[in-house]
Amino acid sequence: MASLEEKILSLRQTLNDYNYQYHVLDQPTVPDAEYDRLMQELRTLEEQHPELVTSDSPTQRIGGAPLEGFKKVEHHVPMLSLANAFDKQDLLDFDRRVRDGLGVDQVDYVCELKIDGLAVSLRYQDGLFVQGATRGDGTTGEDITQNLRTIRSIPLKITDQSTIEVRGEAFMPQRSFLALNEARETRQEEPFANPRNAAAGSLRQLDPQIAAERHLDIFIYAVGEWQTGSLTTHSERLNYLRELGFKINPEWRQCTSIDQVIDFVESWVDRRADLSYDIDGIVIKVDRLDYQNQLKTTAKSPRWAIAYKFPAEEAVTKLKDVILSVGRTGAVTPTALLEPVKVAGTTVQRASLHNEDFIKEKDIRINDTVVIKKAGDIIPEVVRVIPEQRQGDEVLYRMPDHCPACGAELVRLEEEVALRCINPSCHAQLMEGLIHFVSRQAMNIDGLGEKVVAQLYEHKLVQDVADLYQLDRSELLKLERMGEKSVDNLLEAIDASKQNSLERLLFGLGIRFVGAKAAKTLAIAFDDMDKLKQATLDDLMAVNEIGHKMADSVVRYFQDEKVLKLMNRLKELGINMRYLGAKPEAASEASAFYNKTVVLTGKLEQLTRQEAKERIEALGGKVTGSVSKKTDILIAGAEAGSKLTKAEQLEITIWSEQQLVEALNQ
Ligand code: IVH
């Protein structure tokens, strides 16, 4: 009789096989009921013998408690993006650059569908899936292992024992997307705009249970860190990855000329509608890996690949009305209400009209038949009207003179196209300001969506951002759809936001021209709110990246009595006013790179180009791409070529990689 351990192993094997057939090959071999029965059997055995549970067991896909936040993950090999091609000519140019760069007449390409999801990296050690991460900024992503484990087409175990990292696109199939949005609407939650946002939102959940319910999927299309031996082409890699059990999109094709590539691209313009997931283009890659290495990468993207983007989809519909919204800064924006129409997989009912000039220029009238277009996840916009379709009942639209929210007179500031409400107590602006304050990049208060903010505002529980920190539990419980649990969660999230680092508060306050990035720069430079409050125009402008317009806006902001009162209140309520993040290394004049222009060339072995660049810049140096008289130091890695020759001619200081590393470490 088989031992208990063998029984468990065999159940796991069978279930993993069924899972693979169903989720990777799309060819279920047993009825769901049979799968569930075996799974239950395995679960029971594992419950009785917890010491026999392993991380690759199919029972362990959804495991672990909700996280507090995501850990950071460094990508040892950067996750690059791709340059875009928009038409045939761009593809021909790409092919020319590739062949010229290699000095050859013919190159094989691989064409793949460009899946519209989000890039993730999966790391395997000793055959086990150990870490999954988002792309982030390409160098640092977030650890979303728990959520990725819930994707059933990701193998938890593979037969390759070396440390390997594969990359692919996680996405939400259209069917899952429609079901999800339907459920959200029933619960009166905001639907997701498109499958990509829904996938991204799902992978950012701290509780893996939620990701598990979202039915995400993945296609693997590249490798990151990779030691697996003798493969010489990208197509061989795809085949090998497939053999290892990864889900590879079956529609890839090897092409022996750019004309074949163009045929492939064109064939998908219409066929994409038949797919059960969204694609936004075709990715074209040079097949031979030695060619890829020869062609190298620019700072952002490889020279050996390009993404052909499908033209934005257009649709024709009727413009029923124009509504106005008042933004956080008082800008009044017109939006077209449309007869619902399907574009690029989603139903569109609104389109942006931007501003008054836009409406006039395009002569857009109510009841007009209009062409709208949707590009990526950007809100659809009206491209043009079809005047031939006019029936005579069209009405010219004029922007109002008064704010649709508070009734104050609208003004058009100099050199601006937008009409603005400049009433500081306009309730639409105040509410938008609150929504901005709690948003993810700002104070990041979970559970405070637009609807709840509107409720709080309308019930006069919150009039300004400080009021959020004085909410009363019993008052909240009286609101519609607010149970004990959601109230407690909300209060907890608000309380937690008090510990945010200064840049979140700064961005959240909505000071004009101060975006998330500038807020961080200011927080690092001034360290605490009091110092920033007292900063003069000159102090501000002395900070790298802060220009006159922003400096002026900050100074004016802190001159306002109301703002100063608000700051005091926030402080009394215990909101952190200091920068808590890491300080970048101080650029010191003593550094060998201070104010020096540096060029990197050749292969670096001890650190990546990106690392070298960042560290030189942190020490006050500037890294440029080409050698000229202005270059101070050339770092020549292995096999340095023409840049080295040129630097020698110009008698520029030349350092080896070793000298670079030593200088960086000093
Ligand atoms: S290859 C270094 N292949 O498109 C090249 N990317 O801008 C790595 N994408 O960030 C990308 N389908 O998120 C590649 N078959 C495919 C893809 C694909 C979708 C995404 C990926 C990447 C972006 C490129």
Side-chain angles (χ1 to χ4, degrees):
M1 206 185 94
S3 74
L4 182 76
E5 220 168 327
E6 282 165 18
K7 174 80 192 157
I8 289 184
L9 275 180
S10 119
L11 273 172
R12 259 179 217 155
Q13 186 61 45
T14 313
L15 282 162
N16 279 338
D17 286 349
Y18 288 163
N19 182 67
Y20 173 76
Q21 283 144 7
Y22 187 106
H23 292 282
V24 178
L25 302 181
D26 270 335
Q27 289 161 350
T29 43
V30 289
D32 290 357
E34 174 65 4
Y35 182 90
D36 293 344
R37 189 183 68 76
L38 294 179
M39 188 73 153
Q40 195 46 52
E41 194 178 335
L42 177 61
R43 239 186 227 122
T44 313
L45 289 177
E46 286 186 345
E47 268 161 29
Q48 287 161 359
H49 299 276
E51 74 283 3
L52 296 179
V53 179
T54 53
S55 76
D56 62 320
S57 170
T59 59
Q60 303 301 304
R61 283 209 177 257
I62 317 165
L67 302 169
E68 295 279 320
F70 297 112
K71 279 191 308 200
K72 296 240 175 310
V73 175
E74 294 286 326
H75 299 303
H76 300 298
V77 178
M79 288 183 81
L80 301 171
S81 62
L82 296 173
N84 290 327
F86 296 100
D87 55 27
K88 196 169 152 178
Q89 192 55 49
D90 290 346
L91 291 174
L92 292 169
D93 292 345
F94 165 71
D95 175 54
R96 161 80 33 219
R97 283 197 304 275
V98 165
R99 288 185 297 114
D100 285 354
L102 296 169
V104 298
D105 291 332
Q106 190 273 334
V107 176
D108 287 345
Y109 294 106
V110 167
C111 293
E112 294 167 17
L113 304 188
K114 186 169 185 304
I115 315 297
D116 198 6
L118 59 155
V120 298
S121 113
L122 313 175
R123 174 180 282 274
Y124 289 77
Q125 255 160 17
D126 304 323
L128 291 180
F129 174 44
V130 290
Q131 189 176 60
T134 60
R135 173 169 184 268
D137 62 5
T139 328
T140 316
E142 286 182 320
D143 185 331
I144 52 164
T145 316
Q146 287 214 55
N147 287 338
L148 288 171
R149 285 178 67 91
T150 70
I151 300 182
R152 304 268 290 262
S153 46
I154 292 182
L156 298 178
K157 189 176 175 181
I158 56 173
T159 50
D160 191 317
Q161 298 297 311
S162 51
T163 294
I164 69 174
E165 189 205 332
V166 300
R167 290 167 179 183
E169 199 84 350
F171 64 96
M172 186 176 282
Q174 282 152 3
R175 215 163 47 134
S176 316
F177 171 71
L178 293 176
L180 172 64
N181 265 357
E182 216 168 281
R184 287 178 75 85
E185 287 190 45
T186 339
R187 292 194 301 262
Q188 294 192 316
E189 290 166 359
E190 194 68 31
F192 285 105
N194 54 47
R196 177 154 58 102
N197 290 1
S202 307
L203 288 175
R204 286 202 47 89
Q205 295 291 331
L206 292 168
D207 181 356
Q209 184 66 42
I210 303 181
E213 286 158 12
R214 299 277 175 89
H215 301 291
L216 300 173
D217 205 342
I218 194 165
F219 284 122
I220 301 298
Y221 50 64
V223 303
E225 263 183 276
W226 185 254
Q227 296 155 350
T228 297
S230 59
L231 307 183
T232 61
T233 61
H234 179 67
S235 6
E236 282 169 16
R237 274 189 184 163
L238 289 178
N239 285 327
Y240 179 66
L241 289 168
R242 190 170 46 104
E243 281 163 25
L244 284 180
F246 290 106
K247 185 160 177 170
I248 309 298
N249 188 289
E251 306 293 352
W252 69 274
R253 188 154 105 214
Q254 196 195 41
C255 296
T256 54
S257 68
I258 198 68
D259 289 333
Q260 277 187 12
V261 168
I262 292 167
D263 286 347
F264 182 85
V265 164
E266 283 174 353
S267 79
W268 277 103
V269 172
D270 293 330
R271 271 201 291 161
R272 65 191 281 217
D274 304 332
L275 292 167
S276 58
Y277 46 87
D278 285 1
I279 63 171
D280 59 346
I282 303 290
V283 179
I284 298 113
K285 304 175 182 175
V286 169
D287 197 18
R288 274 174 60 164
L289 301 178
D290 58 338
Y291 280 178
Q292 292 188 0
N293 289 335
Q294 242 172 292
L295 287 163
K296 305 218 176 69
T297 61
T298 68
K300 278 191 296 198
S301 50
R303 290 205 185 80
W304 46 265
I306 199 161
Y308 173 84
K309 290 288 201 67
F310 292 131
E313 256 189 65
E314 294 190 343
V316 173
T317 187
K318 201 151 182 156
L319 189 156
K320 294 190 303 190
D321 203 355
V322 176
I323 55 165
L324 297 165
S325 57
V326 184
R328 175 164 62 85
T329 59
V332 178
T333 320
T335 300
L337 290 187
L338 308 168
E339 205 81 71
V341 61
K342 201 133 188 214
V343 202
T346 53
T347 303
V348 169
Q349 316 204 34
R350 287 169 183 231
S352 174
L353 294 170
H354 304 289
N355 52 55
E356 190 168 23
D357 287 358
F358 183 89
I359 300 178
K360 274 194 192 139
E361 254 162 48
K362 308 223 158 187
D363 187 21
I364 298 167
R365 308 178 191 179
I366 292 172
N367 289 332
D368 257 339
T369 303
V370 291
V371 177
I372 61 158
K373 108 172 154 194
K374 202 170 110 187
D377 60 347
I378 304 162
I379 356 165
E381 69 168 32
V382 173
V383 185
R384 61 177 181 279
V385 301
I386 309 184
E388 298 79 37
Q389 305 246 351
R390 285 192 172 145
Q391 313 274 320
D393 62 346
E394 295 74 25
V395 188
L396 282 176
Y397 180 76
R398 275 212 50 212
M399 290 287 279
D401 305 322
H402 292 87
C403 173
C406 71
E409 197 167 339
L410 296 177
V411 296
R412 194 163 178 161
L413 299 179
E414 232 174 296
E415 289 176 31
E416 275 200 351
V417 278
L419 279 175
R420 274 183 200 282
C421 168
I422 51 168
N423 169 14
S425 26
C426 168
H427 58 86
Q429 287 178 56
L430 295 176
M431 204 161 84
E432 290 299 321
L434 284 169
I435 292 170
H436 172 75
F437 185 80
V438 304
S439 67
R440 212 175 81 208
Q441 277 192 299
M443 294 302 267
N444 191 22
I445 304 181
D446 257 356
L448 261 186
E450 282 188 31
K451 285 195 178 135
V452 181
V453 172
Q455 255 184 319
L456 296 178
Y457 190 82
E458 278 153 21
H459 287 82
K460 300 220 171 352
L461 296 181
V462 173
Q463 301 297 295
D464 67 20
V465 298
D467 293 341
L468 283 169
Y469 296 95
Q470 292 186 302
L471 280 170
D472 181 58
R473 189 169 183 278
S474 57
E475 290 291 333
L476 287 173
L477 281 169
K478 289 184 201 153
L479 298 178
E480 243 178 89
R481 290 195 301 277
M482 283 293 234
E484 300 248 348
K485 182 131 199 283
S486 37
V487 167
D488 287 341
N489 286 344
L490 177 59
L491 288 173
E492 213 170 283
I494 294 177
D495 203 48
S497 76
K498 289 182 182 172
Q499 309 306 327
N500 283 340
S501 180
L502 174 64
E503 67 276 20
R504 287 187 172 274
L505 174 61
L506 267 183
F507 176 58
L509 289 171
I511 306 169
R512 270 206 92 191
F513 307 122
V514 179
K517 188 156 172 259
K520 181 137 186 203
T521 308
L522 289 171
I524 293 175
F526 291 91
D527 203 50
D528 86 9
M529 188 69 101
D530 282 332
K531 288 196 198 129
L532 180 64
K533 234 165 37 185
Q534 284 151 15
T536 63
L537 198 67
D538 287 340
D539 294 340
L540 285 156
M541 281 172 60
V543 179
N544 218 349
E545 290 174 45
I546 307 292
H548 182 272
K549 200 159 97 174
M550 194 175 342
D552 182 53
S553 164
V554 173
V555 171
R556 277 168 198 260
Y557 182 78
F558 287 112
Q559 277 167 352
D560 186 339
E561 266 309 306
K562 280 207 270 321
V563 166
L564 297 179
K565 271 196 195 136
L566 178 70
M567 290 305 134
N568 285 339
R569 254 183 89 204
L570 288 171
K571 203 168 184 179
E572 277 160 20
L573 289 164
I575 285 77
N576 168 58
M577 301 261 167
R578 301 206 54 172
Y579 176 65
L580 305 176
K583 290 261 178 187
E585 292 171 53
S588 134
E589 289 177 35
S591 141
F593 300 105
Y594 192 76
N595 271 344
K596 293 282 188 315
T597 301
V598 183
V599 174
L600 300 165
T601 189
K603 267 194 213 130
L604 297 183
E605 270 138 22
Q606 305 183 41
L607 63 183
T608 66
R609 279 271 170 118
Q610 186 62 22
E611 273 166 4
K613 180 168 183 291
E614 281 170 10
R615 293 188 56 190
I616 292 170
E617 284 171 353
L619 293 171
K622 192 167 119 194
V623 176
T624 62
S626 58
V627 175
S628 73
K629 274 187 273 176
K630 291 195 193 129
T631 309
D632 295 302
I633 309 168
L634 178 92
I635 313 288
E639 294 165 41
S642 61
K643 285 185 195 169
L644 176 57
T645 322
K646 186 158 180 204
E648 281 165 350
Q649 282 163 2
L650 294 171
E651 296 183 355
I652 286 162
T653 309
I654 296 165
W655 285 6
S656 66
E657 181 178 5
Q658 189 52 38
Q659 284 172 295
L660 165 70
V661 172
E662 280 165 18
L664 287 174
N665 290 338
Q666 254 178 14

